[in-house]
Amino acid sequence: MSSYNFAGKHVLVIGGTSGIGRAVVEHAAAQGARVTAAARNTGSADLPTGVAIEHVDLTSTSSVESLFERIGAFDHLVLSAGPGAMGGIRELSSEQVRPFMDIKFWGYYEAVRAAADRIAKDGSITLVGGAASRKHAPGRPMMAAINAALEAFGKANAIDLAPIRVNVIAPGLVDTPAYAGMPEEIREGMLRGYAASVPAGRAGLPSDVATAATFLMGNTFITGTVLDVDGGVHVS
């Protein structure tokens, strides 16, 4: 973990009950923050003591606005929600991929818009995107498009929302519960293949991305950047 002390700070993590978002919740809480974890599915969340849990549906403008009205003042927002749209253009119609854009782009848009006039002026917004924005692979055109859009959106808002800081994290392959539904041998093969292809020699862990998120929240001289947390996939 980074050495930043978040005592007295309120961190809101949307997508905070599982995977990368959950790791961000745990790291921020361990560093003294008051943390609110918001997600569509909150029933099975087992989070650190003191973490508040709120429901939000990123596909609903009214649900997003209601969340920000309920939580009150806050200092940092981390957005880590939305599955990847796997499949090539021959396999996926626009109707099939539109829900992925609705969550991971338009949902983020709604959250940033709702946060803009409520977040502390010395606070930060961190969007979790993905390495697919610039490291292309078969069957991922929509993952590339959505994550590239988030990177441009983050950089533009670092200007429009200043002095609020806005950054994007672009993780590579991270071993999260999102892959739990895959047959075990396929999941393990995917992780091994990634490990063999990158200089770091392993797939990512949620804690790798969470450490980056707390770093971006705590370092007040970083804004408008895309931080690659990918084991070196862009140089492999």
Side-chain angles (χ1 to χ4, degrees):
M1 294 186 184
S2 70
S3 60
Y4 296 107
N5 184 340
F6 292 101
K9 301 296 184 182
H10 184 187
V11 176
L12 170 62
V13 184
I14 296 181
T17 59
S18 66
I20 290 170
R22 179 191 177 93
V24 175
V25 166
E26 293 170 345
H27 278 232
Q31 292 170 240
R34 178 165 71 93
V35 183
T36 299
R40 179 184 289 181
N41 299 314
T42 61
S44 60
D46 181 19
L47 297 171
T49 301
V51 173
I53 301 175
E54 293 282 352
H55 174 269
V56 67
D57 179 356
L58 284 179
T59 66
S60 165
T61 300
S62 61
S63 178
V64 173
E65 291 178 347
S66 176
L67 169 68
F68 283 91
E69 289 169 1
R70 293 195 307 272
I71 67 167
F74 69 102
D75 302 277
H76 302 284
L77 169 64
V78 179
L79 282 154
S80 178
M86 292 295 292
I89 198 165
R90 292 187 179 92
E91 294 81 36
L92 298 176
S93 68
S94 61
E95 183 178 3
Q96 288 173 302
V97 299
R98 192 167 287 116
F100 297 99
M101 180 68 83
D102 286 344
I103 294 172
K104 197 167 182 181
F105 182 78
W106 289 115
Y108 280 31
Y109 181 99
E110 293 287 5
V112 172
R113 187 170 187 273
D117 292 328
R118 295 180 171 95
I119 193 169
K121 296 306 179 187
D122 61 348
S124 72
I125 298 171
T126 303
L127 314 176
V128 178
S133 59
R134 286 162 287 124
K135 183 67 173 183
H136 303 302
R140 300 177 187 177
M142 279 310 298
M143 288 178 66
I146 293 168
N147 288 311
L150 281 180
E151 292 180 9
F153 182 66
K155 289 182 177 184
N157 277 299
I159 296 172
D160 286 356
L161 300 183
I164 299 163
R165 294 176 295 108
V166 185
N167 294 291
V168 180
I169 300 175
L173 179 63
V174 178
D175 187 5
T176 74
Y179 302 109
M182 297 174 66
E184 185 63 18
E185 65 275 12
I186 294 177
R187 188 184 73 84
E188 288 295 335
M190 176 184 69
L191 296 172
R192 284 195 303 270
Y194 192 87
S197 70
V198 297
R202 66 175 177 87
L205 300 172
S207 59
D208 296 319
V209 186
T211 300
T214 55
F215 166 70
L216 290 175
M217 283 188 270
N219 191 314
T220 59
F221 200 55
I222 300 178
T223 191
T225 193
V226 177
L227 179 58
D228 293 322
V229 183
D230 56 23
V233 72
H234 291 285
V235 297
S236 60

